[in-house]
Amino acid sequence: MSKISNIITAVLLTLMTIIPGKLMATNNGDSSELDIPEIVLEHLADSYEWHIASYEGKHLSIPLPVIVRSSQTGEWFVGTAHSLPEPFFFDAAHHGKIYEKMADGTIARPLDLSITKAVTQIWIVVIVMITIFLSCARWYRKRDERSEAPGGFVGFMEMLVVTIHDDLIRPSVGEGQYKKYAPYLLTVFFFILTTNMIGLIPIFPGGANVTGNINITLFLAVCTMLAINLFGNKEYWKEIFWPEVPLFLKAYPVPVMPVIELFGVFTKPFALMIRLFANMMAGHAVILSFTCVIFLGWSMGVGYGLGLNAFSILMLLFMNCLEVLVAFVQAYVFTMLSAVFIGLAHKEHH
């Protein structure tokens, strides 16, 4: 019990120190007021530096490489956000992205290849995944089929891989095709799961809202859409353009069913994208909101502070435990639906 209480205390202290400077700062410099929506949206958005903490107006941040190419001169700038020269500037109206002021007074988006917070978090996730799976592979290389079953972390990873492979991918895709798609689907599952779990860590190297970034979920959905449509068999395309329905529904006077089925080619990955994005973004927003309530209570007085702190801490613990479950569920659901859609693209004619 003492170990559990120490862990809980450490988590709460971390949550209390992650963004105190942001929470106690406003546009007019009055520390008694909090702009909670602005704080939450600022954390959820991508950035050109990794903010660690703030204290008495001083910010501790890790600068990230800014790489932009001017639309006017074609010159490249490589540096950090603090050394960004004119005519480049951060446009608050476009979520803090870098824009360039042109000679005629208009603004334009330059070619931006910067290593942002989301990109850095993805690299961290990739390093973690490579480390985990190479260590597991090293364990298996030293043993053969007569060795005892693995235990500990390697055994847990084997259980997880076998569960996703045998109970999800194999029956959903189908016996004849599942081996070709298992590497992709397993990669998607562990990437989403690892990203979600690291995103729950409130301090560096965690805390980035990667799967709550619609650009990331869009890329994952497009990958699934390509896997479905580039390798679908002729029966799959026949069901789209010439389904087994009465002729007036598929040809005359209007091809209703082919239009609906073709529309479904794009709505399936769209649903994958929105489901993952919305669930993970909402979870981060709720946790941040309850964190803000702690500081909001103290700004209202000691009595409010004690009452709201107790409520916020309990809700923070509940939401973090719930987000651990959501992190797994969303990875599982994305992989399951991808496997089902791929399996539908390889069904045989009956």
Side-chain angles (χ1 to χ4, degrees):
M1 291 298 294
S2 61
K3 292 183 177 180
I4 296 176
S5 61
N6 290 336
I7 292 173
I8 294 175
T9 302
V11 171
L12 294 179
L13 289 175
T14 303
L15 291 172
M16 293 288 287
T17 58
I18 176 177
I19 48 175
K22 288 185 179 181
L23 293 173
M24 302 306 293
T26 59
N27 295 332
N28 59 5
D30 186 0
S31 62
S32 64
E33 297 180 2
L34 299 175
D35 191 347
I36 294 179
E38 181 182 353
I39 294 169
V40 173
L41 292 176
E42 182 182 353
H43 176 81
L44 295 178
D46 201 2
S47 65
Y48 293 92
E49 61 181 11
W50 199 304
H51 184 269
I52 304 298
S54 298
Y55 181 72
E56 295 183 351
K58 298 180 179 179
H59 302 283
L60 175 61
S61 303
I62 299 176
L64 299 174
V66 173
I67 307 170
V68 291
R69 180 179 182 272
S70 174
S71 302
Q72 297 185 93
T73 63
E75 296 180 354
W76 288 89
F77 166 75
V78 180
T80 63
H82 299 287
S83 59
L84 189 68
E86 295 183 353
F88 301 111
F89 67 97
F90 296 100
D91 190 355
H94 295 87
H95 308 287
K97 296 297 183 181
I98 295 177
Y99 274 75
E100 180 181 5
K101 189 173 183 180
M102 311 300 285
D104 58 359
T106 61
I107 62 172
R109 185 88 161 94
L111 179 61
D112 190 351
L113 302 179
S114 303
I115 309 301
T116 61
K117 183 178 179 180
V119 175
T120 307
Q121 183 74 92
I122 291 173
W123 285 1
I124 293 172
V125 170
V126 170
I127 293 172
V128 170
M129 291 178 62
I130 290 175
T131 303
I132 290 174
F133 287 107
L134 286 182
S135 63
C136 293
R138 190 179 301 112
W139 188 94
Y140 284 104
R141 279 200 302 267
K142 297 178 181 179
R143 290 162 177 81
D144 54 27
E145 65 275 4
R146 293 173 295 180
S147 302
E148 294 183 358
F153 182 75
V154 177
F156 172 76
M157 291 302 299
E158 179 181 303
M159 182 259 314
L160 197 56
V161 170
V162 170
T163 299
I164 300 301
H165 183 273
D166 292 351
D167 297 341
L168 191 155
I169 298 174
R170 188 170 181 173
S172 298
V173 177
E175 288 291 337
Q177 302 291 334
Y178 77 93
K179 290 183 179 180
K180 294 192 300 184
Y181 297 98
Y184 164 70
L185 293 170
L186 284 170
T187 302
V188 167
F189 172 80
F190 282 103
F191 173 78
I192 296 175
L193 178 62
T194 307
T195 303
N196 291 346
M197 297 301 292
I198 293 180
L200 293 177
I201 302 174
I203 58 174
F204 182 84
N209 183 38
V210 175
T211 46
N213 186 323
I214 199 166
N215 296 306
I216 307 300
T217 58
L218 171 63
F219 176 78
L220 294 174
V222 168
C223 290
T224 295
M225 185 178 72
L226 294 176
I228 295 170
N229 295 287
L230 291 182
F231 306 104
N233 59 16
K234 61 180 181 180
E235 186 65 26
Y236 167 72
W237 291 109
K238 178 180 177 295
E239 287 294 325
I240 292 177
F241 293 107
W242 200 255
E244 294 183 357
V245 295
L247 184 62
F248 71 91
L249 289 177
K250 60 185 177 183
Y252 180 82
V254 178
V256 177
M257 289 303 297
V259 171
I260 294 175
E261 292 293 338
L262 187 61
F263 188 69
V265 171
F266 301 97
T267 56
K268 291 174 183 176
F270 180 79
L272 288 176
M273 174 187 71
I274 295 299
R275 178 183 286 105
L276 179 60
F277 158 73
N279 280 281
M280 299 315 301
M281 184 188 69
H284 279 264
V286 171
I287 290 175
L288 275 170
S289 299
F290 281 121
T291 307
C292 293
V293 170
I294 295 175
F295 297 90
L296 178 63
W298 285 114
S299 67
M300 297 169 62
V302 177
Y304 285 106
L306 292 175
L308 289 177
N309 274 13
F311 171 76
S312 299
I313 290 172
L314 290 176
M315 292 305 300
L316 275 173
L317 291 174
F318 171 75
M319 285 303 304
N320 275 279
C321 292
L322 182 62
E323 280 296 295
V324 172
L325 176 62
V326 172
F328 175 82
V329 169
Q330 290 305 313
Y332 188 92
V333 169
F334 191 98
T335 308
M336 179 186 67
L337 292 178
S338 297
V340 170
F341 295 154
I342 291 173
L344 291 175
H346 294 277
K347 64 181 181 179
E348 300 297 329
H349 178 71
H350 296 285

